[in-house]
Amino acid sequence: MSTSTPTRQPVTATAVGTRKRRPLLLDLYSTAVGKKYAMAISGIAMMGFVMFHMLGNTKMYLGAAELDGYAEFLKKLLYPLAPKESVLWILRVSLLGMLALHLHAAWSLTVLNRHARPVRYQSARDYQEASLASRSMRLSGIVVVMFMVWHLLDLTFGVVNTIGTDGVYVRSEVYANVVRSFDRWPVALFYVVANLLLGLHLAHGAWSIFQSLGWNNPRFNAWRVAFARGFAAIVVIGNISFPIAVTVGIVSV
Amino acid sequence: MTHLVSNLTLKVWRQNGPADKGKFETHVIESITDEASFLEMLDVLNERLIGENKEAIVFDHDCREGICGTCSLMINGQAHGPQRGSTTCQLHMRSFKDDDTIVIEPWRANAFPIIKDLMVDRAAFDRIVESGGFITSPTGGAPDANLIPVPKPVADAAMDAAACIGCGACVAACPNSAANLFVGAKLTHLNLLPQGQAERYKRAEAMVDTMDEHFGSCTNHGECSAACPKEISLDVIALMNKDYRSAKFKNRKQLSRK
Amino acid sequence: MTMLQDRPTNTKLISKVPDGALVDKWDNFKANAKLVNPSNKRKFKVIVVGTGLAGASAAASLAELGYRVDAFTFHDSPRRAHSIAAQGGINAAKNYQGDGDSVSRLFTDTIKGGDFRSREGNVYRLAQVSVNIIDQMVAQGVPFARDYGGLLDNRSFGGAQVSRTFYARGQTGQQLLLGAYQQLSRQIGLGGVRLFNRCELVDIVVIDGRAAGIVTRDLLTGELASHAAHAVVLATGGYGNAYYLSTNAMNCNVTAAWRAHQRGAYFANPCYTQIHPTCIPQADATQSKLTLMSESLRNDGRVWVPKNFDENRAAHEIPEQDRDYFLERLYPAYGNLAPRDISSRAAKRLVDKGLGVGPLKNGVYLDFAEAIGRLGRPVVEERYGNLFEMYERIAGENPYDQPMRIYPATHYTMGGLWVDYELQTTIPGLYAAGEANFSDHGTNRLGASALMQGLADGYFVLPYTISNGLAPLLNKTVPGTDHPEFKRVETEAKVRFQGYLNVRGTRSPDYFHRELGKLIWDYCGMERDRNGLERALTEIPALYSEFKKDLRVTGTGEGINQTLEKAGRVDDFFQLGTLMCKDALTREESAGGHFRVEYQTEEGEAVRDDENFCHVAAWEWTGDENNATRHEEQLSFETVQLATRSYK
């Protein structure tokens, strides 16, 4: 009759086991709360990157020489104290590390969360607070990563930079590469869409950071959402202005 | 004054035991007074089922005044139904209109296995409290209650968090089945008070670790707080995160050095 | 009267109140109580049934001492017990306000509030340990209200002239229960307590005159199981749900106490029930329970009914001259703050006359218009905002715009298992704590004293008295669950539950509960009289035999079956209801919550009969619920003077 009768035992001594201790950071990372710390810290690093990347790129409005010169400047960061490109490479590797950490934490939290509700609700949910941004973090994140790969192949490695054009990719001619790439409307469109999703990702992520890191204080709590949205808006507006500027001809060779 | 709500279509989840697949069963309530509470509406339905020689729908309930935390139910996709800041037992039929369809599901989470129909097992919450959700104070040895003053704002904030009724709506509403609001509330309650300082970080570590064995992770949607009958703030989660970090990094032999 | 003249003296009803002056009794007891050495404590097993304030605190304290404790709750979690719903506060003679409070003042107030029908020794001890309770609960992290200096705040409550009530917003019961639950949880985590949740006591096993253990039914599997122990504590709450509609939680029941009664424990003063004046009136026939609104509302609300029988104007349209502010009229000194029993009866009389308000004409107004005018809405909002919100949620009316409607409802039961000073029932080894026993409140409990008694019993009384009871058993063998008596009782329970399933009649347990509740409410509610009670004593048995013939329980005995659980509880309520009426009939006086219409002054006040009824009525089970035997424990008052309660 009854489909299954649970075996029942009295509850006792539930808190006498000891948890295996790992080295400090691994120990922290082993729990979901710790992984959120990893998400938040790597998120901050990448937020710093996208902001400076956007600011640097506005040099294109000052002309080819400025932008190309900025690229050269990056290579010479801290030169001659440090060898050429060394600092840039340290930054690149660190950022990749942060990205890897962000992705790993996101992946393992997703697995955890799927496991936490193996049988989904059989009727439609009526969400009250969850926003489009918060609910699309995985999707927006994946699209942004895919975009990043394209973006690197396009403007850093030049592999896809000349598809559909008759130009030649020259690494140091950043300005020309950008204009050539965005002259292709599907590329410009992809760029705009990806950046809008990045903005969505940041609008939730930049707020989440405060929660995940436990930065909570009535004195600034009201500003947390405003900061996240403002930050996202600045990055997105800056970034999508570039393909639009190329498309409408403000920036051209 | 009293009105009748008529022709309600109920789609109620029936599941005969944990291993059963379960399905929605449809019942029509021809009419019911809008003064009836949601659970009284289910009582009426159950009496009808018994009249028809059928098994009554199993659901958890007890105090019916919104404080014991026994009642649950996902009603039309919302934990505890459409009324903010209240439990299912405090939801009345005046929240519904004639000809409405009402879908009733149990809480769903790996940590809350379904026992039967709409009843789930929320014992995982108890395991978390057992691991550290207390202040060790054996009977008899307590100093005078007024020995340690507690600033009123601190006492109030602790009370805000302590209002949690342990119903599990936060887990049910969370897209990830996370229990951070529940654990955060208990930690905030005890960790804010002077009496709770001695075990503050041990408590944070133990409770978060235990939570991890059962529940998903917080992705800051805010659904938990929106579903919470006591409207507990997301701030408690931030405090939990902070204390958990401190628990890992602080030199606990010198805790007084902030 | 004949029965009362030859008062049976019963050797079982020895209160064991220690010798000495009232103030020294508890100390004397502790000084002479037998102890169990720490390393021997683990040789003893104690069963605690119920995990409310009394049960959780007892289980945690006993486990802390080193006893092996098995705790049982029929809830999913110990935290759900109905202690959680208490709103107002907890009394303690701390005198933090310096307003003249003291242990003896709390003692006197409690004795007087209970209309001189409680035991002096017990009540004094309660007042003494009240101060320890506050210390203990604060140490456990209960977030009591504080003033701006960070010290504990107090409010005043009915029946007292000092401010001695500690509170945590309107959720004092919740916060105290969570405190006790957390201590219990700690012990569960450490292995000191084994918790059996969703597990209901269905019988008590008595072997050679001593409680040997209990038989439980696992609510999830329907399995019956035996548990043996050296001592059994019943902390299973009150029986207010006998009335069907009450402020008790839906699952509150008398089963544990009743089973104990049937196995030989005397049941004391079953007719002492408390009706709380400020509850939200029943709205319709489907209603399953009533909700209490804090008594504090009467500080600023004015209670009235219309003067005209055919009044059909909305409340605010009724002019002053057509309103009857009856509490102010009848009790000018206390006005709207008259004690619970007195206010309740006044409201009932007017509603019975046909002056009630609301769609069902079953309530009286509690009006804040004057307070809002006098204090301004923000002040009223700050004082009562959460209560107004709660009212609006339930009644669907906004109390800022129109008066609340209130009506009395059953709230607490002062009667319960008879216990001696050690909280031991007439079955050795079986203890009762909290609302389940009859001990401290006489005929009427003061506001904010239920929480105090539950915690006093669990934290500060039982740990001492149980040691005293267990010490002589050291290294003696007690019967285990292999004893044939356990099997026999288990079989009896099995037959009983199968019996409910086998009736296959037409009516649900809820139907019978509702009908029974109506009878008890009508005849043994706020006012009782001989005719009504005699009628009840024929109608209840008639309904009971219908129950036995026409009950329908669907489903099976295996797996969870809430209908079956309910049937067992209603069965016990039937037998209890009979005893309540019998007790009310034989107590030919009016006192506190027990108001016999025949015994009142011209103004309608209670008239006690100290000559003939200054005793506890303790009923012995005889095998037939209609023929229980009445025993008496005489109450002697050495410290307080018997006086007439007056609140005029």
Side-chain angles (χ1 to χ4, degrees):
Chain A
M1 162 77 231
S2 83
T3 301
S4 108
T5 3
T7 27
R8 301 256 294 145
Q9 295 290 331
V11 178
T12 193
T14 54
V16 292
T18 46
R19 200 166 166 274
K20 202 176 81 192
R21 288 244 166 216
R22 300 177 184 82
L24 182 62
L25 288 177
L26 275 181
D27 196 40
L28 184 67
Y29 192 68
S30 67
T31 61
V33 171
K35 288 194 177 74
K36 292 298 290 185
Y37 268 94
M39 293 288 282
I41 291 165
S42 55
I44 291 173
M46 291 188 288
M47 275 168 65
F49 167 75
V50 292
M51 180 56 88
F52 282 103
H53 189 60
M54 184 277 287
L55 288 176
N57 284 346
T58 53
K59 297 250 182 284
M60 76 175 65
Y61 293 116
L62 302 175
E66 280 283 333
L67 186 62
D68 295 355
Y70 173 65
E72 196 54 31
F73 156 77
L74 286 179
K75 286 182 186 163
K76 287 194 197 157
L77 269 179
L78 284 186
Y79 178 79
L81 182 63
K84 260 193 189 176
E85 294 203 16
S86 63
V87 174
L88 188 60
W89 272 108
I90 289 169
L91 286 174
R92 279 173 176 159
V93 170
S94 312
L95 272 173
L96 272 177
M98 285 294 167
L99 177 66
L101 185 61
H102 203 75
L103 291 178
H104 181 264
W107 177 77
S108 49
L109 288 173
T110 302
V111 171
L112 178 77
N113 294 343
R114 288 276 148 86
H115 179 72
R117 182 168 291 140
V119 181
R120 313 189 73 76
Y121 283 103
Q122 306 294 302
S123 58
R125 287 294 311 276
D126 181 0
Y127 289 114
Q128 300 302 300
E129 288 293 321
S131 58
L132 176 69
S134 73
R135 297 196 46 220
S136 59
M137 288 303 272
R138 268 185 291 274
L139 177 76
S140 56
I142 289 167
V143 174
V144 168
V145 169
M146 280 164 36
F147 166 73
M148 238 170 55
V149 172
W150 165 268
H151 195 58
L152 287 171
L153 292 175
D154 184 6
L155 295 170
T156 306
F157 303 115
V159 182
V160 296
N161 185 257
T162 51
I163 294 173
T165 71
D166 49 7
V168 183
Y169 177 82
V170 180
R171 181 111 192 235
S172 58
E173 291 174 7
V174 179
Y175 186 88
N177 295 341
V178 168
V179 173
R180 180 168 48 246
S181 185
F182 288 158
D183 263 338
R184 299 168 295 179
W185 71 265
V187 174
L189 186 67
F190 182 36
Y191 193 98
V192 170
V193 169
N195 270 287
L196 287 173
L197 286 172
L198 172 66
L200 207 57
H201 199 84
L202 284 172
H204 180 68
W207 174 81
S208 271
I209 285 169
F210 290 93
Q211 280 291 109
S212 299
L213 297 182
W215 287 344
N216 181 291
N217 191 317
R219 271 173 294 198
F220 62 70
N221 278 356
W223 292 94
R224 298 186 302 177
V225 171
F227 165 79
R229 292 189 180 159
F231 187 94
I234 290 168
V235 169
V236 170
I237 291 169
N239 277 348
I240 64 174
S241 75
F242 307 135
I244 292 172
V246 171
T247 308
V248 301
I250 297 172
V251 172
S252 61
V253 188
Chain B
M1 290 292 138
T2 314
H3 296 285
L4 293 176
V5 191
S6 50
N7 193 31
L8 296 170
T9 307
L10 298 189
K11 290 174 76 184
V12 187
W13 187 260
R14 301 299 301 261
Q15 180 172 337
N16 195 12
D20 186 25
K21 233 178 124 234
K23 61 175 193 315
F24 282 111
E25 194 174 270
T26 306
H27 298 278
V28 175
I29 303 283
E30 288 76 20
S31 104
I32 185 140
T33 135
D34 67 353
E35 301 273 4
S37 73
F38 196 83
L39 295 183
E40 282 160 2
M41 185 266 298
L42 288 182
D43 290 342
V44 170
L45 175 59
N46 269 344
E47 267 204 83
R48 194 169 85 190
L49 289 174
I50 293 170
E52 293 166 1
N53 247 326
K54 292 178 186 149
E55 274 191 53
I57 299 161
V58 174
F59 61 95
D60 259 327
H61 65 101
D62 197 29
C63 79
R64 299 212 177 177
E65 48 187 272
I67 192 75
C68 73
T70 311
C71 64
S72 52
L73 304 189
M74 203 70 171
I75 301 166
N76 285 344
Q78 288 192 52
H80 288 307
Q83 188 171 273
R84 275 233 168 182
S86 84
T87 52
T88 296
C89 65
Q90 297 267 278
L91 176 68
H92 284 70
M93 294 314 290
R94 64 180 83 90
S95 297
F96 299 91
K97 302 187 301 294
D98 291 354
D99 308 314
D100 273 357
T101 297
I102 306 174
V103 188
I104 310 169
E105 256 195 276
W107 285 171
R108 289 190 189 275
N110 195 36
F112 291 172
I114 294 175
I115 292 168
K116 187 169 179 175
D117 295 344
L118 302 170
M119 181 186 271
V120 300
D121 181 7
R122 288 166 286 193
F125 272 7
D126 290 324
R127 299 298 89 78
I128 294 173
V129 175
E130 285 153 17
S131 72
F134 46 76
I135 292 172
T136 300
S137 60
T139 311
D144 187 88
N146 255 350
L147 205 62
I148 309 165
V150 182
K152 185 169 160 51
V154 173
D156 286 348
M159 180 62 221
D160 285 341
C164 168
I165 58 173
C167 63
C170 46
V171 173
C174 176
N176 311 324
S177 305
N180 292 38
L181 196 73
F182 170 78
V183 181
K186 184 54 32 199
L187 279 172
T188 301
H189 160 209
L190 298 174
N191 285 4
L192 284 182
L193 291 171
Q195 305 94 297
Q197 296 311 305
E199 291 164 294
R200 179 174 188 163
Y201 299 106
K202 182 171 179 278
R203 176 184 306 122
E205 201 172 14
M207 290 180 78
V208 170
D209 286 350
T210 312
M211 168 175 84
D212 230 53
E213 293 165 20
H214 301 276
F215 295 95
S217 83
C218 176
T219 47
N220 301 310
H221 290 288
E223 282 298 315
C224 50
S225 185
C228 177
K230 298 293 159 188
E231 298 180 297
I232 290 173
S233 155
L234 291 179
D235 294 353
V236 302
I237 298 179
L239 188 97
M240 171 180 80
N241 291 342
K242 188 168 123 232
D243 278 5
Y244 184 68
R245 178 226 310 152
S246 302
K248 294 289 183 198
F249 287 100
K250 259 199 160 96
N251 178 348
R252 282 193 239 166
K253 286 181 185 159
Q254 299 174 10
L255 269 189
S256 58
R257 290 176 51 192
K258 291 268 169 178
Chain C
M1 282 319 269
T2 46
M3 195 195 78
L4 293 169
Q5 269 142 21
D6 58 336
R7 291 206 177 112
T9 46
N10 189 299
T11 48
K12 286 186 173 175
L13 292 182
I14 293 169
S15 67
K16 290 203 247 165
V17 176
D19 294 333
L22 190 60
V23 296
D24 299 326
K25 285 179 190 294
W26 180 231
D27 287 337
N28 290 348
F29 176 86
K30 287 193 283 188
N32 296 316
K34 295 187 263 309
L35 298 173
V36 179
N37 147 339
S39 61
N40 280 333
K41 286 202 175 82
R42 79 178 82 92
K43 294 181 182 165
F44 290 104
K45 168 163 277 188
V46 181
I47 283 174
V48 179
V49 188
T51 57
L53 284 184
S57 56
S61 303
L62 291 167
E64 192 82 55
L65 287 171
Y67 295 109
R68 285 180 295 132
V69 176
D70 281 357
F72 293 80
T73 174
F74 63 61
H75 291 103
D76 61 335
S77 161
R79 68 182 292 154
R80 313 274 185 226
H82 197 54
S83 309
I84 207 158
Q87 300 171 354
I90 175 166
N91 288 331
K94 276 286 196 186
N95 194 28
Y96 281 157
Q97 308 303 320
D99 57 358
D101 198 10
S102 64
V103 167
S104 55
R105 174 85 60 179
L106 174 54
F107 159 74
T108 329
D109 285 347
T110 308
I111 288 274
K112 183 188 167 197
D115 219 352
F116 307 93
R117 290 292 176 265
S118 41
R119 213 186 268 149
E120 273 192 336
N122 285 54
V123 177
Y124 196 83
R125 175 179 63 190
L126 175 67
Q128 278 178 306
V129 301
S130 71
V131 297
N132 305 105
I133 295 171
I134 300 303
D135 297 342
Q136 178 68 25
M137 298 320 283
V138 165
Q140 287 172 9
V142 171
F144 282 120
R146 303 269 168 172
D147 59 27
Y148 280 95
L151 301 181
L152 289 157
D153 193 21
N154 291 114
R155 53 166 67 143
S156 57
F157 240 69
Q161 288 173 305
V162 293
S163 287
R164 63 159 76 98
T165 305
F166 295 79
Y167 64 100
R169 297 212 182 124
Q171 289 139 276
T172 318
Q174 181 202 21
Q175 292 312 312
L176 293 173
L177 180 64
L178 291 182
Y181 157 73
Q182 285 163 201
Q183 298 309 304
L184 175 63
S185 294
R186 177 170 170 269
Q187 284 300 330
I188 294 168
L190 293 173
V193 174
R194 295 199 301 164
L195 175 75
F196 294 76
N197 67 334
R198 292 203 197 261
C199 202
E200 182 166 45
L201 181 147
V202 292
D203 218 331
I204 293 180
V205 180
V206 180
I207 297 172
D208 299 331
R210 196 181 157 83
I214 62 172
V215 171
T216 59
R217 182 172 178 274
D218 188 320
L219 298 182
L220 295 192
T221 63
E223 277 166 32
L224 296 166
S226 290
H227 306 270
H230 293 83
V232 176
V233 178
L234 299 185
T236 49
Y239 50 85
N241 264 353
Y243 291 94
Y244 184 70
L245 281 179
S246 81
T247 66
N248 283 11
M250 298 302 286
N251 295 309
C252 291
N253 65 76
V254 75
T255 292
W258 197 254
R259 296 285 137 203
H261 176 55
Q262 291 191 332
R263 295 289 170 194
Y266 290 6
F267 205 105
N269 301 331
C271 78
Y272 290 173
T273 53
Q274 184 170 70
I275 314 289
H276 196 290
T278 51
C279 300
I280 302 174
Q282 186 178 7
D284 64 73
T286 65
Q287 192 146 340
S288 58
K289 80 152 269 166
L290 298 167
T291 303
L292 182 110
M293 300 300 293
S294 170
E295 194 168 334
S296 63
L297 288 168
R298 288 198 285 147
N299 279 303
D300 284 307
R302 296 179 74 195
V303 181
W304 63 277
V305 292
K307 283 183 180 164
N308 303 322
F309 284 93
D310 50 359
E311 186 61 71
N312 49 21
R313 287 171 286 187
H316 65 271
E317 289 166 359
I318 302 174
E320 284 293 318
Q321 69 269 17
D322 288 341
R323 300 178 178 194
D324 177 12
Y325 294 93
F326 57 93
L327 286 180
E328 295 169 27
R329 172 170 60 83
L330 294 166
Y331 307 100
Y334 277 69
N336 294 301
L337 277 173
R340 289 178 174 176
D341 49 345
I342 287 168
S343 316
S344 297
R345 274 195 295 278
K348 175 185 162 45
R349 286 171 187 163
L350 291 163
V351 169
D352 286 352
K353 265 189 177 170
L355 288 164
V357 300
L360 302 178
K361 285 191 163 291
N362 61 350
V364 299
Y365 285 129
L366 178 62
D367 198 340
F368 289 86
E370 189 263 343
I372 293 171
R374 174 166 45 89
L375 304 163
R377 184 171 157 149
V379 176
V380 173
E381 208 168 308
E382 195 195 313
R383 283 190 195 164
Y384 308 111
N386 57 339
L387 292 167
F388 278 32
E389 225 170 78
M390 177 167 149
Y391 178 84
E392 189 175 358
R393 198 168 286 161
I394 292 168
E397 293 171 354
N398 180 349
Y400 293 105
D401 302 335
Q402 55 192 117
M404 284 185 182
R405 288 175 292 114
I406 54 164
Y407 195 65
T410 308
H411 170 58
Y412 186 87
T413 55
M414 283 72 69
L417 290 174
W418 185 91
V419 290
D420 60 20
Y421 191 73
E422 301 184 25
L423 303 185
Q424 191 162 226
T425 66
T426 50
I427 301 174
L430 181 69
Y431 297 79
E435 195 180 345
N437 73 29
F438 87 108
S439 67
D440 298 340
H441 305 297
T443 62
N444 177 54
R445 179 178 62 75
L446 290 182
S449 282
L451 301 178
M452 172 172 70
Q453 188 221 333
L455 290 170
D457 289 358
Y459 274 129
F460 297 106
V461 179
L462 280 175
Y464 293 96
T465 62
I466 284 194
S467 296
N468 190 45
L470 290 180
L473 298 180
L474 184 64
N475 296 332
K476 289 186 186 152
T477 47
V478 293
T481 52
D482 49 352
H483 192 285
E485 183 64 9
F486 276 99
K487 274 282 150 291
R488 201 183 65 77
V489 174
E490 244 183 69
T491 313
E492 261 183 51
K494 199 181 183 114
V495 170
R496 189 164 68 243
F497 280 98
Q498 196 52 48
Y500 301 132
L501 290 161
N502 288 348
V503 183
R504 295 180 218 280
T506 62
R507 307 274 196 186
S508 71
D510 270 326
Y511 164 82
F512 286 105
H513 193 186
R514 237 181 344 254
E515 295 300 310
L516 170 69
K518 265 184 230 159
L519 289 177
I520 305 181
W521 177 250
D522 286 346
Y523 298 126
C524 197
M526 270 182 278
E527 288 188 328
R528 298 106 190 239
D529 66 23
R530 172 169 290 279
N531 285 342
L533 289 164
E534 281 172 348
R535 196 170 320 145
L537 284 171
T538 58
E539 289 181 21
I540 293 174
L543 187 65
Y544 191 28
S545 60
E546 201 189 320
F547 170 83
K548 289 176 186 164
K549 285 195 296 255
D550 199 25
L551 175 72
R552 177 185 286 177
V553 177
T554 51
T556 69
E558 288 97 52
I560 186 149
N561 187 341
Q562 291 170 315
T563 318
L564 183 59
E565 292 164 26
K566 187 72 196 265
R569 293 168 191 170
V570 173
D571 191 358
D572 293 329
F573 277 136
F574 266 109
Q575 302 190 359
L576 168 80
T578 310
L579 190 66
M580 285 168 72
C581 293
K582 232 176 138 83
D583 187 45
L585 183 64
T586 47
R587 185 165 283 278
E588 295 171 324
E589 64 165 349
S590 293
H594 170 65
F595 191 86
R596 281 283 297 266
V597 177
E598 304 96 312
Y599 309 99
Q600 55 178 317
T601 64
E602 275 174 31
E603 292 106 8
E605 301 308 326
V607 174
R608 273 201 333 258
D609 179 355
D610 293 334
E611 186 82 18
N612 293 302
F613 288 96
C614 194
H615 62 241
V616 176
W619 296 85
E620 181 185 4
W621 175 255
T622 56
D624 169 8
E625 70 273 7
N626 299 310
N627 277 310
T629 308
R630 190 176 194 270
H631 301 284
E632 293 170 9
E633 178 205 340
Q634 295 303 320
L635 293 169
S636 56
F637 292 90
E638 292 158 13
T639 310
V640 291
Q641 291 285 316
L642 287 169
T644 305
R645 254 168 113 219
S646 171
Y647 293 93
K648 288 255 174 191

